[in-house]
Structure formats: C-alpha cells, structure tokens
Amino acid sequence: MKGIIFVELIDFLESALGMDVVDDVIETANLPSGAAYTAVGTYPASEVLTLLNTVEAKVGMSVADQQAAFGKHLFGRLAKAHPEYIGSVGGGFELIGAIEDHIHVEVRKLYPDAELPSFEYGERTDDSMVLIYRSQRPMADLCEGLIRGCFAHFNEQVEIARENLPSDGGTHVRFGLKRVG
Amino acid sequence: MPSDDAWKRRLEREKSARRQAEAILEQKSLELWEANQELRAAAEQLEARIAARTGELEETMAALEAANKAKSRFLANMSHEIRSPLTAVMGYANLIEGADLPDAECREWSLALQRSAEHLLGLVGDILDLTKIEAGELAINLEPTPILREVAEIMSLFAAAAQTKGISLDLSCEGSVPSEIHCDPLRLRQIVVNLLSNAVKFTSEGGVRVEISAVSHDLGGTLKIAVADTGVGIPADQLDTIFQPFTQSHDASYGGTGLGLDISRRLAMRLDGDLRVTSELGRGSTFTLTLPVTRRDMVSLVDPEHIHATTRVASRVSLPKDALRGRNIFVTDDSKDNRRIIERFLTQAGATVQLATNGQEALDVLLAEDAPEFDIVLMDVRMPVLDGISATRALRAAGYLGTIVALTADATVDARHASLTAGCDEYIVKPIVPRSLLARLDGLLVGGPRTTRSRTARPGRRRATMTSQSFGTPAAKPARSEPSENTSGLPDWLIAEYLETLRERIDELADAMKADDLTRIRSVAHKIAGTGTSYGYPLLSQLGLDLQSAIDEDHGATLIGDLCGELMVECRHVVGG
C-alpha cells in the first residue's frame, strides 16, 4: 500500500488520540517498518490493520469506526492535494463514477506497482448509483468513509445502503447511493 | 505534553522515514536518468535514420535533376539539328512555289510542304526556348524599348491574317503610357506575337483589340498590354491548365504546339512581369501581360487621345519581286544546298550573286585589289577552313567597310553577340525564310540602287555593332532624314513626342561635352542610338552607336570629339534647328 495512506493514518491517529497514545500503539504493534513512513514509500497493507487493531485494544474504538473516520479524513487530504482535478469535477456522483476508468488509470501510470481495489457500476441515474467494491483487504469501511468524505466535500446529502456480497476471500460489497433532499 | 521518550522515538521514526524517502528518490532519479538516456539514444537513432533517408532522397533528386538536364540538353541539341535540314526543306518548297508550276495539284502540295515545315520550325523553336528556360539559360537583355511602336509593329504582322478572316484588329491606349520601358524587346515581341497569333487563330467573328495602359506607384509603375478577342473562349476548368506545357486548347483542330502560352508566361516572369487570362466560353478571352516600369520610365509619358494603329507592315510583306534589282550580293556558306537556295532567292529578287564556300575564300575575293563592290556579304558562321566569325574579324581588321550579315542556325544570344562583336552588321537565324530574308536585306539597303560603294569613311575605323534594338529595321548606311519628316509609319503625335525628347538629349549631350564627361556622353549616345531607327531616323542610331563604340574601344579624343560633333549636327538637323 502506498506510503501516503500510512502517513495520513498516523497524522489522523495523532490528531484524534494524541502523540503519546499513538507512540504507545506503535511500540506495542512492533511493525516491521517501525512505523517510520514516508509518502513516497510502499508498505504492507497489513500494517494498517495491525495499527487499527492495536488502537481498538488500547482505547476501545472499533476498527470499523476508525476506518470510517479515517476515510472521511483521507478524502479531505486527497482533495487538498489535487485541487485542479477536484475543481474540474461537478459533484460526488461524477467523481465516484470516474474512479475505475479515470482516477485508477492515472494512479497506475504513476505507480505501476499499486494494488488498487476494483469498482464496478450498476444502475446509474443523475441521483443514484450502484457501486460494487471488491478488494483483497477488509477495508469496506474505509471505502465507505471515503464516499462520505466525497459527498461532504461537495455538500451533497446522499443516503448509503451497504450490502455484503458473497466472496471467495477478500471483500465484496454493494453500495447503493441515493441523493436525498 | 507527550513524554520526552515519545518525542525521541517520534524523531527517530521521522529521521528513518526521511532516509527512506531520500533513498527512494535517489533510486527514482536514477531510473529517470536511465530512461532519459534511452530516450535520447532512441532520438539520435531516429535522427540518424532520417538523415540517411534524406541523403538517399537528395541523391535521387540529384539523379533526377541530372536526367532532366540530359533530357533538356538532348531536346536542345535535337532542335538545333532539326533546324538545318529544315532550312533546305523550306527553301526548296519555296523555290517550287516560285517556279510557276503548271499543275494546280503540285502547287497545293508545295504549299502543304511549306505549311508543315513552318509548323515544324515553330515547334522546334518553342522546344528550344522551353529547354533554355528550364535550364535557366535564357538570357534577358534589358534595354529602352519603345513599347507602342513595338506593339504596333507586331500587330501589323497580323493585319493580313485578320483581314483574310474578316475580323478587326485594333490598338488603343488608355491614358498615358511610358514612351519607353526597360524591357527585352526580343522576348516582349515573342510574348505579344504568341498572344496575337492565338487571338487571331481562335476568333472568327468580331475582332481582336490590344489595349495598352499604365499605372504608376511609388516604385515606378506597371504597364499592361491586354489582348482581348471575341473568339471561342476557354472553358473555366481549363483556365489553369492552358499555361502548362504540352496542354492544348480544348479543340485540337486549331493546331499549334501547346507550348506558346507556357513559354509566354515564363518569359513574362523572367521580365519580372506576369501573364494572366480571363475568358468566357463562346464570348472571348483576354490575356493580360503586365510588365514593371521603372520610375525613370514613368517620367517620359505619351498621352495619346486614342490611337488606331493600322497596318504598317504591308510594305514589308509584299516586297516587289525585284526588290534587290541591281544589288550585288556575296554569299558564303559551306552547305551546297543552302548556297543554291539562297542564290535562287536572291537572283529571283533581281540581285547579282557571287558565292564562296568558306571564310578564307571570302577573304580572298573581298580583299583582292580588284574586288567588285558588294552591297551585302552574307556570312555563314560555322564553316570549315575559316569560320564566319574569324573571317568577319579579318575583313574588319583589313579595313573592309561593307555590310556583313551573319547567317547561322545557332539562335542563342551568345552566338548573336559573338557575330556582332566580330563586326557583323546584322544577324539572321536559319532556316532562311525567303520573305523575311528579303525584307531584312531590303531594310539594310536604304537608299536607291547603287553599284559602287563609297570608301570615304576613315580607314581602320570599325563599323559599329548593331544592338537588337534595331534588329528589325536596321540601316547599314542610313540616308540623312529630312527634318521632322515622318517616314516611320508612326502616328505624328508619337514623332512629335520623340522630337521633344531628342531636344532634351541635345542639351544633355552639349552639357556632357562641355564637362568632358565620357560616361554621360556615352549614355546619351546610347539613348539616341536606341530609339533613332524606331522613329525613322536610322542615321541617328548609326551615329549614336559609332560614338558609343568609339568610347568603349577607347579610340581617342579626336575621333570621339568628331563623332560627338557629327551626332550633334544630325540631331539638330532632325529636330529642325
């Protein structure tokens, strides 16, 4: 997983829990990288889960809640890092609709080794969309957090219906997105 | 506050992350550099391939150009070679025509033979011109050219044809036009002849109108010669192609080589002008030749109210059958055929003819103590034993003052220049067309028939060479003209303009003589020489040319002074003062 996620996660945890707690978590987690992350590096995705599990054990916040909150935070950071792209997009549905065929294509050009989740699109209208998320990692909550962050950024009220789909290992989730109000 | 240990560990993690980042960036930078190197190598390889391809193309191009040049050279050589036998064909056809054949059918055949030969000659001439233009070898000699006079004279050549077809032929001037422009009269003639010949050919009702006009601008002006006909016209989709070589009009039955317009346009461009066409099918075409006019040319304008040039050529075309009666002519030519043909023409026209087969024989006869007086010596250029150029030079060196006319199949400017500088008075290109040969000789023989020739000219004084200005109607020993006597066939107003200019020249000459300024004297002499013959004062041209060559050849102050005096006296005589 790309270093930017790890750097942002540590920042997020530090701002949420304070430096001492995060330092304690890192010491306890005993990660191969020692949690010395740089945005230009690449690290095992498992370290994210180890950190989140350790946080849950230390402070009682569930991994799912952590992922959802981090996802929202992460979207804001990514949006800030790519203002010209975000500025060119009309709204959340348009941006989410462009993940597979546009954003991921561009990401792969820059990072050929990136392991990206895949998205499929079901029925789509101006005000609704069905999104099928597939990943080797249990990170559907992070995905949902990102989606919420996205609509929040565009100031859009959207209802999210989430349904787990059968999978042979990995995560397979259907998100039903519907504009409200 | 976080504990010191937590800070320390945090610092360690940051340091470690920074080192990692540096290592990664170093690695990326190396990869970038390598990728860049590869790209550069690929670009260089590509450039090398392009250079190789370009080289190949250049070689191919050079080979094609060489092949094209070889083709042009071949065409030029062939054309040149074809001219010589054509002389014989046309000559004999002419003799047959003049032989009072009893059989009408035979006369028809002879006429057909002549027509074909003339057509062939036109074709050969066109091909020669085209190859010369393509090879960039076409020489352009700019000189003051009396434009109205030139055009009127060319038009008169077509008067008979127009009359036969029952169509009109008019010349008009719109506003003021320069009396002279700097132009190559030979090429101008070629273009206008081609345009008029087309116009007359394609018109069967109505007529052909030539309109001359000029517009001036800061840098001088533009002269327009528009040849408008009421003929068949050209379809719109062919207007672009008619200027391409070997492209004929839509109706091939009109004949022609298909080279004329291409040559005319290229010649116009070589003269820094252009040739354009507008046409309406069934209504007629207008070809407009534009030529640049210098600011100096724009100063001397003629302002004709409206002139109607009628034919002046009649006297030239229909020479009396015995135009050369009483004349004594010496013919030097190594070709037996040519000698016989020329002899027949000349004797038919009433001349007495003596023959020689090379330059040496000519020298032997002409320089002998008891040599008879010859009115004209016709001198072939290429001959065995002694060629015509060397023979002419030897004759002039020995003080021979008679008229010598070079005869050659070589139509190049160089050949003309060579014969004129050797001392020939005129230059005639083969094949010999009897009518025009007689007309040219008649032009050289101004004055009544005589059998003796004055030898009063200064011994050793070379005759002046003629410029092509007086090519058409030169005068070997021009008679003194009566003051203001209009013998030129030009409208009186044009002559009046000329005389006005001549008065200015007299003042210029007087000034230049007072200042002892040879350059200016020569320049005035050149101007006077260039126009005298055209306006009917051949002696002025002759004296101007004599003075010019005396200055060019550094003949000394006394002779130059004498000639200045003679020229001045004649100028004053002509203007009647």
Side-chain angles (χ1 to χ4, degrees), chain A residues 85 94-105 119 121 131:
Chain A
Y85 177 68
E94 186 185 333
L95 189 140
I96 292 166
I99 292 173
E100 189 65 23
D101 292 333
H102 182 77
I103 298 175
H104 282 179
V105 171
F119 291 91
Y121 302 94
L131 183 69

Side-chain angles (χ1 to χ4, degrees), chain B residues 330 361-368 371-372 374 377 379 395 400 455:
Chain B
F330 191 83
E361 273 184 30
L363 286 185
D364 293 345
V365 174
L366 294 171
L367 296 180
F374 290 101
V377 173
M379 184 72 80
L395 283 169
Y400 184 81
R455 280 190 192 257

Side-chain angles (χ1 to χ4, degrees), chain B residues 138-440:
Chain B
L138 191 95
I140 293 291
N141 297 320
L142 296 180
E143 49 190 78
T145 308
I147 199 81
L148 269 177
R149 155 89 196 207
E150 283 290 346
V151 174
E153 206 176 280
I154 296 161
M155 286 183 73
S156 64
L157 297 173
F158 291 92
Q163 205 173 8
T164 310
K165 293 191 80 173
I167 57 175
S168 64
L169 187 59
D170 294 304
L171 170 62
S172 64
C173 269
E174 280 298 307
S176 309
V177 295
S179 57
E180 287 181 353
I181 68 166
H182 262 77
C183 187
D184 185 329
L186 194 72
R187 302 305 168 196
L188 172 72
R189 227 170 286 161
Q190 216 173 333
I191 300 169
V192 178
V193 163
N194 179 252
L195 297 182
L196 275 171
S197 137
N198 282 344
V200 171
K201 181 161 67 174
F202 291 111
T203 306
S204 49
E205 269 175 33
V208 176
R209 216 182 70 242
V210 179
E211 196 176 283
I212 303 181
S213 58
V215 282
S216 62
H217 46 71
D218 290 351
L219 299 170
T222 305
L223 184 88
K224 274 190 189 174
I225 302 175
V227 179
D229 64 54
T230 56
V232 294
I234 303 157
D237 61 340
Q238 285 177 27
L239 282 175
D240 288 338
T241 56
I242 55 165
F243 288 109
Q244 287 164 14
F246 309 106
T247 312
Q248 276 252 345
S249 83
H250 48 104
D251 187 348
S253 68
Y254 285 97
T257 62
L259 295 175
L261 283 174
D262 177 44
I263 292 172
S264 294
R265 171 120 98 174
R266 291 186 196 219
L267 287 176
M269 284 170 169
R270 286 283 279 116
L271 294 172
D272 294 326
D274 200 2
L275 178 61
R276 292 173 183 281
V277 62
T278 56
S279 185
E280 206 179 323
L281 196 59
R283 301 291 291 274
S285 311
T286 301
F287 284 85
T288 307
L289 169 68
T290 50
L291 294 170
V293 183
T294 61
R295 204 151 50 178
R296 236 182 37 209
D297 291 338
M298 287 305 283
V299 172
S300 166
L301 297 174
V302 289
D303 193 4
E305 297 183 50
H306 191 82
I307 65 160
H308 243 280
T310 43
T311 54
R312 213 186 62 72
V313 79
S315 64
R316 271 240 233 144
V317 173
S318 53
L319 285 170
K321 275 216 153 188
D322 57 351
L324 297 178
R325 179 152 310 282
R327 298 297 186 179
N328 206 4
I329 297 177
F330 191 83
V331 178
T332 315
D333 197 312
D334 61 323
S335 151
K336 196 171 143 197
D337 280 341
N338 280 349
R339 279 200 308 276
R340 277 170 56 190
I341 291 165
I342 297 170
E343 186 183 12
R344 274 301 284 275
F345 292 155
L346 298 178
T347 50
Q348 275 179 355
T352 313
V353 177
Q354 189 167 342
L355 300 169
T357 60
N358 63 54
Q360 188 55 51
E361 273 184 30
L363 286 185
D364 293 345
V365 174
L366 294 171
L367 296 180
E369 272 302 308
D370 54 347
E373 292 285 340
F374 290 101
D375 292 288
I376 284 174
V377 173
L378 291 181
M379 184 72 80
D380 187 22
V381 171
R382 279 192 211 172
M383 289 184 293
V385 186
L386 186 64
D387 67 81
I389 300 287
S390 308
T392 303
R393 217 174 275 133
L395 283 169
R396 293 302 186 209
Y400 184 81
L401 293 170
T403 304
I404 303 176
V405 177
L407 273 184
T408 173
D410 192 346
T412 61
V413 174
D414 285 350
R416 183 164 81 92
H417 186 71
S419 57
L420 292 182
T421 49
C424 291
D425 298 275
E426 252 290 19
Y427 173 93
I428 293 175
V429 180
K430 290 176 184 177
I432 289 149
V433 179
R435 263 205 311 260
S436 74
L437 174 68
L438 294 186
R440 294 284 283 279

Side-chain angles (χ1 to χ4, degrees), chain B residues 476-490:
Chain B
K477 199 71 185 173
R480 166 162 279 200
S481 315
E482 285 309 306
S484 311
E485 178 200 4
N486 186 354
T487 54
S488 64
L490 290 173

Side-chain angles (χ1 to χ4, degrees), chain A:
Chain A
M1 189 172 262
K2 299 313 293 177
I4 178 82
I5 307 293
F6 293 87
V7 171
E8 289 301 335
L9 177 63
I10 299 293
D11 271 2
F12 165 73
L13 291 175
E14 274 184 354
S15 64
L17 309 173
M19 216 182 81
D20 275 333
V21 177
V22 175
D23 179 59
D24 188 24
V25 167
I26 289 169
E27 287 296 296
T28 311
N30 191 24
L31 300 160
S33 68
Y37 300 121
T38 154
V40 294
T42 304
Y43 309 94
S46 59
E47 288 195 9
V48 171
L49 297 169
T50 309
L51 280 168
L52 296 181
N53 284 323
T54 313
V55 169
E56 189 184 76
K58 293 257 178 206
V59 299
M61 190 182 182
S62 75
V63 170
D65 288 350
Q66 288 180 69
Q67 279 197 17
F70 174 55
K72 267 184 101 169
H73 165 86
L74 183 61
F75 184 87
R77 302 291 300 159
L78 291 174
K80 221 173 236 174
H82 303 282
E84 67 298 332
Y85 177 68
I86 295 293
S88 74
V89 173
F93 283 105
E94 186 185 333
L95 189 140
I96 292 166
I99 292 173
E100 189 65 23
D101 292 333
H102 182 77
I103 298 175
H104 282 179
V105 171
E106 295 300 318
V107 171
R108 282 198 188 87
K109 279 185 202 165
L110 284 172
Y111 310 106
D113 56 342
E115 293 161 358
L116 301 169
S118 81
F119 291 91
E120 281 167 46
Y121 302 94
E123 315 92 78
R124 278 166 87 167
T125 68
D126 283 350
D127 295 314
S128 70
M129 170 184 278
V130 169
L131 183 69
I132 313 291
Y133 164 83
R134 215 187 273 270
S135 173
Q136 290 307 306
R137 301 160 189 142
M139 290 189 176
D141 294 307
L142 178 63
C143 178
E144 188 182 327
L146 278 165
I147 292 170
R148 287 188 190 281
C150 171
F151 287 118
H153 176 89
F154 289 106
N155 260 327
E156 290 170 296
Q157 298 292 316
V158 173
E159 220 175 59
I160 300 177
R162 181 168 152 185
E163 182 191 340
N164 286 328
L165 299 174
S167 88
D168 42 357
T171 315
H172 193 192
V173 173
R174 177 184 187 278
F175 292 100
L177 311 178
K178 195 174 174 197
R179 195 189 298 282
V180 287

